[in-house]
């Protein structure tokens, strides 16, 4: 099964390039192309202002992705904690001198672009946790004391992000980490313990909230009770989806989107627009593409020889899945609106960069699937 | 290595579990998608259409009203208004300042405009001023470069070219009030007007037409993207009246200084040729809205300009009622044309004396002479012998005491008293003296000028129960629906009785002994017949007599006698019937008869009841002749 890997653990640059998971790259490009088409429609048949910039960003991101894929996974392992530390520092910086945009402190203004450290953290956390669990034996994983450190690694940035407040990203950080914990072999009863204690803590915490805070959370959980305020977006989104029907209204024919009833259609609600114009068929088609990407992600993870590679691949896949699920569930009114974009399709540079870096790591794991990495990060077994 | 393989196995197991979990979540998404896009799709499609499509009402033009000859009586006038589209101007305040230099914008108006600008979205036009005149429109157009976002728009408003001369017949239109709402969406349009009085009210539905609609696609901000469908409305019907505006105009000018009412009827078909109530008001004022001062002025005026006195004014008929008493007496047979009664100046009944207007009496009079000279004693006597029931029945046959059903709102029934009525209304028995008083048309008896004209017409047309009406034809979509010619019932009055009455009425005017001899029409072919009436509003008291008040003219206006006249013409072949009531005018022969004479002479000269003259050119000569009779008689 692993003869080849034992024989030639190292590749040349050309071999690596040939070994890139080109079908995955193709799928990613296709998804981004759908994004360009939808943004073209969102601008009423114009490349300005979204579609063209989306293309440029994707192009840049694609180069970054392939570059990352070609870098040896051991380098990522070596610098995993450094990245994590840097990201954490940036997060704290945002907290201190954050730039106020979209009603929440999320960006660092770096002159020619805005850096969103919480996005960086999504990747850094995956790397850091993968490195941590890579270094643990199965017996270690079963020891609860060994879990204190990674839990701190998760909840410190999650807490900071929550303060911004960015519930969506905090949720994604926690859930993606949960996924890594799970596949790393943490006992299921320990998960159950955390979930149960969380459920118990919630009503207790509720008591300490002010009335207006409770009201805000209630609207958040049940937006349709406030049809002109918070509920407006989700109601219009459901109307758009529902009116799309089986086959949709046709490309660029979506009334809800083009007549501005649909809010934020170029970002969070772009799936709604797609489903309005292409109907159930279009929505399922996109889900199928995402599904294919996920299947390949899991396949790459299980195929990796190193635990670090497996965990990174799975962490990226879970993060990607969370983007897809939270966004679509949100626009269909299944969960409250938390502001998570649709991967590769929603307009927005930071999320795209995060995802392409993630995919770069995923493909990198594929390219270096047979690299043997010791517990301490060396070549030793 | 071994442990690592185990770790890999566990990893793979956990991956399978995780993928399973994801599959469950994705199925939830697919289920939700299926629910929204397939199961609930129809509901959401409807909602999306509701979002997108706005129905705009297109108000139909209100129907015109014309007279029997096609003269316009109520039109729609172009109403120029100036609008501001806030998004097209950079600075609303500065634009208003510039506009202020052209048409002055008061501070109150300015506040209203700024409030409207704030309330509406920036592409919704805000009305700055309505009813601009040509000069203002021109000045705004010339200064357009300085007025960004300002535009002139043409709307329609109701215009009554004859202003107060036909106000009571036409009525007026005004803004819709909550009680007018019937569910017609047109009524909810801002600025929409409905008929509030007169024919505008009666024919409101005909005149209004049906609103069209335009389906437009709007975006989330309400901006119109395009028109999807358009359904043209139905313009309001054109209503042609029986009124002859030329006659109406002459009569209303003739009576302008009085508080008076006059009705001219075609005796054969009940066409109302003129219906004048003075003083009047300008219905155009109601269109734009009256000021509080104007409204108070109209309401508090003792001469009641808002009341249509021809149908809502109730007056004792006085001596004009004597024809009715005479017909009742002849029908019962209590007198013959040759029966004579000696008038000593009064008639005694029990202890009471009933005086004749002529102190020393008329001497021996027959029915003819009693009518010509309006001898009261004769009518006391025949009323007593005929009885109140027979008199009341005759009054009703001639059109008194009940609504005639004219096509106007607010018609009064008047009152023909009977013993039964008195028991019911006043809980008192009927006295025979009251029969005598009824014999000269006084007491409880109340009639409207319209009823008096109808009574006269029924006598003049040979005893047919004509009913008055104002609507001649309703033209909808170019198809005229004329009022069907009524077949009027015969009142079963013997022709010889009617001839006795008509001969007497002829002599009232045309015999030197008649009470209206001075108001006769001198052209023989236009000669009129009639009957005067003077109704006491209050007796001159003994105290006043001592102070030297002898004549009616010496009394204050409010308590002076009402002057009445009813008549028809031509006397030998009646076509026109008229009634004139001049409130507190004094004597019927002196005040009311000359007005009736002028009106009937004008009607005959114009040929008011004749075939409609089609063009204005042919009508013009009739108008220029209008002043002739005044000069001749004056």
């Amino acid at each position: 099964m692993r003869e080849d890997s034992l024989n030639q653990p190292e590749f040349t640059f050309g071999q690596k390039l040939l070994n890139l998971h080109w079908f995955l790259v193709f799928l990613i490009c296709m998804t981004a192309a759908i994004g360009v088409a939808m943004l073209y429609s969102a601008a009423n048949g114009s490349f300005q202002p979204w579609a063209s910039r989306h293309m440029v960003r994707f192009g840049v991101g694609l180069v970054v992705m392939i570059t990352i894929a070609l870098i040896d996974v051991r380098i990522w392992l070596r610098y995993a904690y450094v990245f994590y530390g840097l990201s954490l520092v940036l997060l704290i910086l945002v907290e201190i001198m954050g730039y106020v945009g979209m009603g929440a402190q999320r960006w660092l203004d770096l002159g020619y672009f805005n850096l969103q450290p919480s996005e960086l953290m999504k990747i850094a956390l995956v790397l850091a946790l993968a490195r941590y669990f890579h270094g643990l034996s199965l017996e270690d994983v079963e020891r609860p004391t060994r879990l204190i450190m990674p839990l701190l690694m998760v909840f410190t940035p999650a807490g900071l992000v929550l303060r911004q407040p960015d519930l969506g990203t905090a949720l994604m950080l926690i859930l993606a980490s949960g996924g890594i914990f799970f596949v790393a072999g943490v006992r299921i009863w320990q998960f159950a313990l955390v979930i149960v204690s969380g459920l118990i803590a919630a009503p207790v915490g509720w008591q300490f909230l002010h009335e207006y805070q409770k009201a805000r959370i209630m609207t958040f959980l049940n937006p349709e009770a406030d049809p002109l305020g918070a509920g407006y977006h989700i109601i219009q989104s459901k109307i758009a989806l529902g009116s799309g029907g089986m086959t949709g209204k046709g490309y660029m024919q979506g009334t809800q989107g083009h007549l501005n009833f649909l809010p934020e259609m170029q970002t969070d609600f772009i799936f709604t627009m797609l489903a309005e114009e292409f109907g159930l068929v279009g929505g399922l088609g996109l889900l199928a593409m995402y599904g294919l990407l996920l299947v390949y992600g899991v396949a790459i993870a299980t195929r990796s020889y190193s635990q670090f590679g497996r965990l990174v691949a799975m962490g990226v896949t879970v993060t990607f899945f969370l983007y897809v699920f939270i966004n679509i569930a949100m626009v269909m009114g299944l969960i409250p609106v938390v502001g998570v974009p649709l991967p590769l399709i929603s307009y927005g540079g930071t999320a795209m960069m995060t995802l392409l870096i993630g995919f770069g790591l995923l493909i990198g794991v594929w390219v270096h699937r047979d690299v043997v990495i010791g517990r301490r990060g060396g070549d030793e077994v | 290595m071994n442990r690592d393989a185990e770790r890999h196995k566990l990893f793979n197991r956990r991956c399978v579990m995780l993928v399973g979990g994801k599959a469950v979540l994705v199925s939830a998404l697919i289920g939700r998608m299926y629910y929204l896009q397939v199961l609930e799709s129809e509901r959401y499609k409807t909602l999306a259409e509701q979002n997108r499509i706005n129905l705009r009402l297109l108000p139909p033009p209100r129907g015109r009203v014309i007279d029997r000859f096609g003269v316009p009586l109520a039109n729609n006038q172009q109403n120029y208004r100036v609008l501001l589209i806030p998004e097209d101007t950079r600075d609303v305040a500065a634009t208003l300042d510039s506009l202020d230099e052209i048409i002055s914008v008061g501070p109150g108006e300015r506040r209203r405009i700024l409030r409207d600008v704030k309330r509406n979205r920036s592409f919704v036009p805000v009305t700055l001023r309505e009813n601009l005149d040509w000069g203002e429109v021109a000045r705004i157009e010339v200064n357009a470069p300085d007025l960004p976002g300002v535009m002139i728009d043409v709307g329609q408003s109701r215009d009554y070219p004859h202003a107060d001369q036909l106000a009571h017949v036409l009525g007026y239109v005004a803004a819709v009030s909550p009680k007018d709402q019937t569910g017609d969406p047109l009524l909810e349009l801002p600025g929409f007007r409905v008929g509030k009085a007169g024919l505008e009210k009666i024919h409101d539905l005909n005149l209004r037409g049906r609103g069209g609609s335009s389906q437009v696609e709007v975006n989330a901000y309400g901006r119109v993207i395009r028109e999807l469908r358009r359904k043209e409305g139905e313009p309001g019907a054109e209503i042609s009246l029986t009124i002859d505006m030329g006659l109406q105009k002459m009569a209303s000018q003739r009576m302008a200084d009085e508080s008076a009412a006059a009705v001219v009827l075609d005796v054969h078909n009940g066409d109302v040729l003129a219906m004048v109530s003075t003083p009047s008001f300008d219905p155009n004022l109601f269109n734009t809205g009256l000021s509080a001062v104007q409204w108070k002025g109209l309401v508090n005026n003792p001469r009641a300009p808002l009341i249509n006195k021809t149908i809502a004014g109730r007056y004792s008929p006085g001596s004009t009622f004597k024809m009715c008493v005479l017909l009742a007496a002849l029908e019962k047979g209590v007198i013959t044309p040759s029966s004579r009664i000696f008038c000593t100046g009064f008639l005694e009944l029990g202890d009471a004396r009933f005086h004749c207007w002529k102190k020393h009496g008329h001497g021996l009079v027959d029915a003819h002479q009693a009518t010509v000279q309006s001898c009261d004693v004769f009518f006391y006597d025949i009323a007593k012998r005929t009885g109140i029931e027979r008199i009341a029945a005759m009054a009703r046959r001639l059109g008194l005491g009940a609504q005639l059903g004219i096509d106007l709102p607010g018609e009064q029934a008047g009152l023909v008293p009977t013993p039964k009525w008195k028991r019911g209304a006043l809980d008192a028995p009927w006295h025979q003296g009251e029969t005598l008083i009824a014999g000269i048309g006084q007491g409880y008896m109340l009639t409207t000028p319209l009823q008096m004209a109808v009574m006269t017409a029924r006598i003049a047309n040979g005893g047919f129960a004509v009913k008055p009406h104002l609507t001649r034809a309703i033209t909808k979509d170019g198809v005229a629906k004329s009022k069907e010619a009524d077949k009027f019932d015969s009142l079963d009055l013997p022709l010889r009785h009617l001839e006795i009455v008509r001969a007497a009425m002829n002599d009232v005017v045309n015999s030197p002994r008649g009470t209206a001899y001075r108001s006769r029409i001198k052209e023989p072919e236009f000669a009129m017949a009639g009957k005067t009436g003077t109704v006491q509003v209050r007796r001159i008291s003994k105290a006043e007599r001592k102070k030297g008040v002898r004549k009616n003219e010496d009394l204050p206006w409010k308590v002076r006698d009402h002057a009445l006249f009813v008549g028809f013409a031509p006397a030998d072949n009646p076509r026109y019937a008229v009634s004139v009531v001049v409130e507190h005018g004094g004597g019927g022969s002196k005040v009311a008869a000359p007005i009736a004479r002028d009106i009937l002479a004008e009607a005959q000269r114009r040929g008011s009841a004749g075939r409609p003259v089609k063009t204005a050119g042919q009508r013009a000569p009739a108008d220029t002749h209008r002043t002739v009779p005044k000069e001749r008689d004056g």
Side-chain angles (χ1 to χ4, degrees):
Chain A
M1 184 185 162
R2 281 196 204 110
E3 300 96 293
D4 53 336
S5 65
L6 285 171
N7 292 340
Q8 29 167 217
E10 300 290 334
F11 288 116
T12 61
F13 179 79
Q15 283 171 316
K16 278 183 178 180
L17 211 55
L18 273 175
N19 259 301
L20 278 183
H21 201 305
W22 286 107
F23 185 69
L24 203 57
V25 175
F26 170 74
L27 272 180
I28 289 166
C29 289
M30 285 311 291
T31 314
I34 292 172
V36 172
M38 289 324 294
L39 289 171
Y40 180 79
S41 174
N44 287 321
S46 166
F47 280 103
Q48 301 299 333
W50 302 308
S52 58
R53 296 187 67 185
H54 191 73
M55 274 195 286
V56 171
R57 283 171 181 172
F58 180 72
V60 173
L62 199 63
V63 173
V64 171
M65 178 181 89
I66 290 170
T67 311
I68 287 171
L70 296 175
I71 295 170
D72 197 305
V73 280
R74 281 166 292 195
I75 292 177
W76 299 115
L77 178 90
R78 192 173 303 149
Y79 295 110
Y81 289 150
V82 179
F83 288 138
Y84 178 82
L86 265 171
S87 301
L88 200 60
V89 168
L90 287 172
L91 260 183
I92 294 164
L93 260 175
V94 164
E95 190 66 19
I96 295 165
M97 40 168 271
Y99 175 86
V100 178
M102 298 292 284
Q105 284 183 24
R106 293 180 193 179
W107 297 323
L108 277 179
D109 191 352
L110 294 186
Y112 59 97
F113 77 103
N114 293 329
L115 184 70
Q116 207 170 329
S118 58
E119 288 292 326
L120 225 53
M121 184 51 88
K122 284 177 187 163
I123 299 296
L125 188 60
V126 167
L127 287 174
L129 287 176
R131 167 153 189 187
Y132 183 83
F133 283 111
H134 174 84
L136 291 191
S137 66
L138 263 183
E139 292 80 7
D140 289 337
V141 172
E142 284 163 16
R143 254 182 254 153
T145 47
R146 289 291 192 151
L147 295 180
I148 294 169
M149 191 59 201
L151 280 174
L152 275 176
M153 281 161 68
V154 175
F155 285 104
T156 309
L160 283 168
V161 170
L162 201 57
R163 267 186 63 93
Q164 287 182 350
D166 183 352
L167 193 66
T169 303
L171 206 65
M172 280 184 64
L173 287 175
I174 293 169
L175 290 176
S177 308
I180 295 171
F181 276 57
F182 185 75
V183 291
V186 173
R187 287 304 171 115
I188 289 172
W189 66 264
Q190 286 168 330
F191 278 96
L193 192 73
V194 172
I195 293 166
V196 167
S197 53
L199 287 177
I200 291 167
V204 176
W206 181 256
Q207 305 296 321
F208 290 98
L209 292 174
H210 288 292
E211 273 312 311
Y212 77 92
Q213 285 170 322
K214 287 181 187 173
R216 200 181 285 174
I217 289 171
M218 285 319 288
T219 324
F220 177 75
L221 293 175
N222 183 20
E224 296 188 36
D226 181 14
L228 290 177
Y232 179 80
H233 289 189
I234 199 65
I235 289 169
Q236 293 302 337
S237 176
K238 280 161 75 177
I239 291 173
L241 275 159
S243 62
M246 190 62 100
T247 53
K249 298 177 185 170
Y251 185 51
M252 307 241 285
Q253 303 293 313
T255 58
Q256 286 284 103
H258 289 289
L259 298 173
N260 297 87
F261 289 101
L262 198 58
E264 304 283 326
M265 58 181 163
Q266 78 280 15
T267 57
D268 291 355
F269 285 88
I270 200 158
F271 180 79
T272 307
M273 207 181 123
L274 181 133
E276 187 191 9
E277 298 193 347
F278 297 103
L280 182 69
V281 173
L284 288 180
L286 185 70
L287 268 188
M289 279 186 78
Y290 282 140
L292 212 52
L293 278 169
L294 285 168
V295 166
Y296 274 107
V298 174
I300 289 169
T302 53
R303 178 67 186 75
S304 170
Y305 186 71
S306 66
Q307 178 77 347
F308 177 73
R310 292 194 286 259
L311 288 174
V312 167
M314 213 48 206
V316 168
T317 310
V318 169
T319 302
F320 175 72
F321 170 79
L322 287 172
Y323 269 112
V324 174
F325 177 78
I326 292 178
N327 178 272
I328 296 179
M330 168 180 99
V331 301
M332 291 199 294
L334 277 178
I335 59 167
V337 178
V338 286
V340 170
L342 190 65
L344 301 174
I345 294 182
S346 284
Y347 180 76
T350 325
M352 166 146 10
M353 202 46 79
T354 309
L355 279 158
L356 289 176
I357 291 171
F359 280 126
L361 290 172
L362 183 68
I363 297 170
V365 170
W366 168 256
V367 173
H368 305 93
R369 58 190 176 274
D370 295 325
V371 173
V372 180
I373 313 171
R375 284 266 170 81
R376 309 264 173 273
D379 292 337
E380 81 278 15
V381 178
Chain B
M1 189 65 208
N2 196 24
R3 294 297 294 162
D4 200 57
E6 222 171 279
R7 195 162 72 163
H8 196 166
K9 264 186 200 159
L10 178 67
F11 177 88
N12 287 352
R13 253 198 332 270
R14 287 283 172 97
C15 271
V16 170
M17 287 165 76
L18 202 60
V19 168
K22 285 178 185 172
V24 169
L25 289 175
V26 170
S27 327
L29 289 185
I30 293 170
R32 178 70 169 175
M33 239 192 267
Y34 181 76
Y35 169 79
L36 288 175
Q37 298 197 284
V38 178
L39 299 182
E40 291 283 289
S41 182
E42 285 310 312
R43 185 165 79 88
Y44 286 117
K45 273 178 184 156
T46 313
L47 287 172
E49 290 296 282
Q50 281 173 6
N51 261 345
R52 165 176 96 95
I53 294 170
N54 247 3
L55 205 63
R56 308 250 155 146
L57 273 176
L58 306 170
R62 196 171 173 83
R64 286 200 318 156
V65 181
I66 56 173
D67 88 341
R68 64 190 295 119
F69 298 127
V71 175
L73 305 177
N75 284 322
N76 297 316
Q77 206 184 31
Q78 307 274 51
N79 165 18
Y80 289 93
R81 34 184 199 174
V82 56
L83 306 175
L84 174 74
I85 299 173
E87 71 175 2
D88 290 346
T89 179
R90 213 165 281 156
D91 184 350
V92 173
T95 307
L96 285 181
D97 289 338
S98 317
L99 188 70
D100 187 34
E101 290 166 21
I102 301 164
I103 55 168
S104 72
V105 181
E109 204 174 2
R110 195 185 175 95
R111 262 199 305 281
R112 197 259 314 154
I113 292 166
L114 290 173
R115 193 191 61 215
D116 286 357
V117 168
K118 213 181 278 172
R119 274 186 192 166
N120 291 305
R121 292 185 182 276
S122 62
F123 54 84
V124 176
V126 169
T127 306
L128 300 181
R129 174 81 62 81
E130 282 194 275
N131 301 310
L132 294 171
D133 64 38
W134 256 114
E136 291 169 326
V137 171
R139 267 176 287 156
I140 290 169
E141 294 283 12
V142 166
N143 289 289
D146 300 333
L147 299 168
V150 172
M151 55 180 260
I152 302 282
D153 179 59
V154 190
Q156 288 199 323
S157 65
R158 203 65 163 160
D159 176 51
Y160 303 100
H162 302 285
D164 61 346
Q165 289 172 345
L166 195 62
H168 296 108
V169 172
L170 291 175
Y172 51 84
V173 294
V176 183
S177 58
K179 67 175 169 53
D180 298 329
Q181 295 288 359
T182 54
D184 186 342
L186 275 177
L187 298 179
E188 281 156 39
L189 282 178
F192 198 77
R193 300 280 189 269
V194 287
K196 291 279 195 177
L199 286 162
E200 293 274 25
K201 183 177 182 180
I202 288 278
H203 285 304
D204 191 49
L205 285 180
N206 280 322
L207 291 165
R208 188 189 299 167
R210 276 221 322 272
S213 61
S214 158
Q215 277 191 349
V216 290
E217 187 176 68
V218 294
N219 69 9
Y221 315 114
R223 183 194 292 275
V224 175
I225 307 297
R226 65 196 161 116
E227 187 172 61
L228 301 171
R229 233 161 299 159
R230 191 185 179 90
K231 207 178 102 203
E232 290 300 339
E234 214 174 79
E238 180 178 81
I239 300 210
S240 147
L241 301 187
T242 57
I243 294 285
D244 169 17
M245 193 57 215
L247 181 66
Q248 175 82 19
K249 183 177 176 184
M250 173 266 147
S252 83
Q253 283 170 348
R254 177 72 177 80
M255 293 155 62
D257 298 333
E258 306 283 0
S259 175
V263 177
V264 183
L265 294 178
D266 181 325
V267 300
H268 296 306
N269 58 19
D271 279 2
V272 177
L273 299 167
M275 180 178 257
V276 179
S277 175
T278 61
S280 187
F281 60 90
D282 183 355
N284 291 306
L285 294 177
F286 285 85
N287 202 6
T288 43
L290 288 166
S291 71
V293 176
Q294 283 172 317
W295 176 248
K296 267 192 182 157
L298 286 174
V299 170
N300 295 338
N301 187 332
R303 299 188 174 206
L306 290 177
I307 304 291
N308 184 354
K309 298 186 177 80
T310 61
I311 57 166
R314 304 194 302 168
Y315 309 93
S316 293
S319 297
T320 62
F321 188 62
K322 284 174 178 166
M323 285 86 79
C324 177
V325 180
L326 185 55
L327 282 170
L330 286 168
E331 194 175 65
K332 198 187 175 189
V334 298
I335 50 161
T336 63
S338 52
S339 305
R340 292 180 175 197
I341 284 163
F342 195 82
C343 169
T344 55
F346 62 87
L347 184 139
E348 279 185 327
L349 185 77
D351 301 335
R353 272 189 177 186
F354 291 84
H355 290 274
C356 188
W357 64 270
K358 199 170 178 185
K359 206 174 175 186
H360 302 293
H362 290 92
L364 209 54
V365 288
D366 60 7
H368 183 85
Q369 279 306 317
T371 309
V372 172
Q373 297 178 44
S374 207
C375 173
D376 291 339
V377 168
F378 180 88
F379 285 94
Y380 292 145
D381 185 68
I382 64 167
K384 191 177 73 181
R385 288 194 276 147
T386 308
I388 187 65
E389 298 290 358
R390 299 293 293 250
I391 294 171
M394 181 59 71
R396 289 187 174 278
R397 276 156 82 187
L398 292 176
L400 309 184
Q403 291 184 350
L404 291 160
I406 191 165
D407 34 0
L408 278 182
E411 189 195 357
Q412 288 284 344
L415 178 62
V416 173
T418 58
K420 193 180 163 204
W421 163 82
K422 196 181 175 193
R423 260 196 311 280
L426 303 173
D427 196 23
W430 186 263
H431 301 297
Q432 201 173 22
E434 287 166 340
T435 305
L436 269 58
I437 295 293
I440 60 162
Q442 306 241 22
Y444 300 116
M445 183 85 63
L446 290 171
T447 59
T448 65
L450 179 69
Q451 287 172 334
M452 290 184 232
V454 167
M455 175 187 79
T456 312
R458 289 180 179 185
I459 291 167
N461 70 10
F464 288 96
V466 288
K467 290 201 165 203
H469 61 267
L470 282 158
T471 310
R472 227 171 104 81
I474 298 175
T475 308
K476 218 176 231 174
D477 301 325
V479 182
K481 240 170 120 185
S482 296
K483 187 186 183 301
E484 283 172 40
D486 283 310
K487 284 290 253 180
F488 295 113
D489 295 335
S490 166
L491 295 167
D492 291 326
L493 294 168
L495 209 57
R496 54 199 164 82
H497 292 176
L498 288 170
E499 271 161 8
I500 292 163
V501 171
R502 289 201 299 235
M505 288 172 79
N506 191 6
D507 277 355
V508 167
V509 183
N510 297 315
S511 109
R513 298 181 71 180
T515 50
Y517 180 66
R518 278 186 302 177
S519 301
R520 69 193 179 282
I521 296 174
K522 286 163 188 163
E523 297 101 314
E525 73 273 26
F526 291 163
M528 92 174 164
K531 182 73 193 82
T532 58
T534 305
V535 180
Q536 261 183 8
V537 171
R538 205 190 75 191
R539 285 171 158 231
I540 297 173
S541 66
K542 277 208 172 121
E544 282 167 332
R545 234 179 271 272
K546 272 183 191 157
K547 277 186 204 157
V549 178
R550 302 239 163 237
K551 283 188 290 182
N552 190 52
E553 288 81 6
D554 300 331
L555 287 168
W557 182 79
K558 281 259 350 168
V559 295
R560 281 186 214 160
D561 297 344
H562 290 327
L564 276 64
F565 188 87
V566 298
F568 56 83
D572 51 355
N573 181 22
R575 183 74 201 261
Y576 303 97
V578 71
S579 70
V580 175
V581 175
V582 180
E583 287 187 341
H584 314 296
S589 54
K590 212 166 159 185
V591 181
I595 293 173
R597 170 201 62 204
D598 293 347
I599 291 172
L600 281 182
E602 175 75 4
Q604 294 179 83
R605 276 186 212 115
R606 290 179 52 79
S608 293
R611 293 207 65 78
V613 181
K614 277 285 183 305
T615 65
Q618 277 169 281
R619 252 192 347 267
D623 270 351
T624 53
H625 286 292
R626 186 173 44 74
T627 49
V628 173
K630 277 186 197 164
E631 287 159 9
R632 222 177 268 171
D633 288 358

